[in-house]
Amino acid sequence: MNNRDKNVKNELAYFYAVIKNMDKKDLIKQSKINKYEISLDEILYDQFSITEDMDKHLEEQNLLNWIESIENPKLYEAVKNLSIDDQVFLSYIIKY
């Protein structure tokens, strides 16, 4: 019976050693990922050169998509010539 307890202790020690080794490997992998990771804001800023608030820009862009689908050229030009605030206001009226 004493030999069985010794084997169990050895198995537990081995198990904890394996877990510790896995944690170290995960930390190494994560540090390599972090070294090359770029934030979404940086990517969008570099590609689209947006100088304003990113969230506001994306929200307005999604909100204003309907304007591009206007088929009447005069109405399209009239809406496009409105200020952004007025376009957003109209978008809320039309969409919601």
Side-chain angles (χ1 to χ4, degrees):
M1 190 124 178
N2 190 15
N3 195 18
R4 184 172 184 215
D5 289 338
K6 189 175 183 181
N7 287 338
V8 170
K9 287 180 184 177
N10 287 341
E11 287 177 13
L12 284 174
Y14 177 75
F15 174 76
Y16 288 127
V18 168
I19 296 295
K20 187 176 181 179
N21 192 23
M22 288 172 61
D23 289 343
K24 285 181 184 178
K25 287 181 180 179
D26 285 343
L27 286 173
I28 291 169
K29 285 180 186 177
Q30 190 60 44
S31 68
K32 288 179 182 178
I33 290 170
N34 291 342
K35 182 178 177 181
Y36 296 104
E37 194 171 60
I38 299 173
S39 73
L40 179 61
D41 287 341
E42 289 179 46
I43 293 169
L44 291 175
Y45 182 80
D46 289 344
Q47 290 187 2
F48 302 109
S49 298
I50 298 169
T51 57
E52 60 195 43
D53 181 34
M54 187 68 59
D55 291 333
K56 182 179 177 185
H57 175 76
L58 292 173
E59 180 181 318
E60 287 176 356
Q61 187 169 355
N62 288 335
L63 187 64
L64 301 177
N65 283 345
W66 68 273
I67 296 172
E68 300 302 320
S69 65
I70 297 174
E71 293 178 0
N72 183 316
K74 289 182 181 180
L75 179 59
Y76 174 79
E77 285 302 318
V79 173
K80 284 301 269 187
N81 288 332
L82 293 172
S83 69
I84 293 294
D85 291 337
D86 289 339
Q87 290 177 13
V88 169
F89 180 72
L90 278 176
S91 298
Y92 278 115
I93 292 172
I94 291 170
K95 286 192 167 192
Y96 305 105

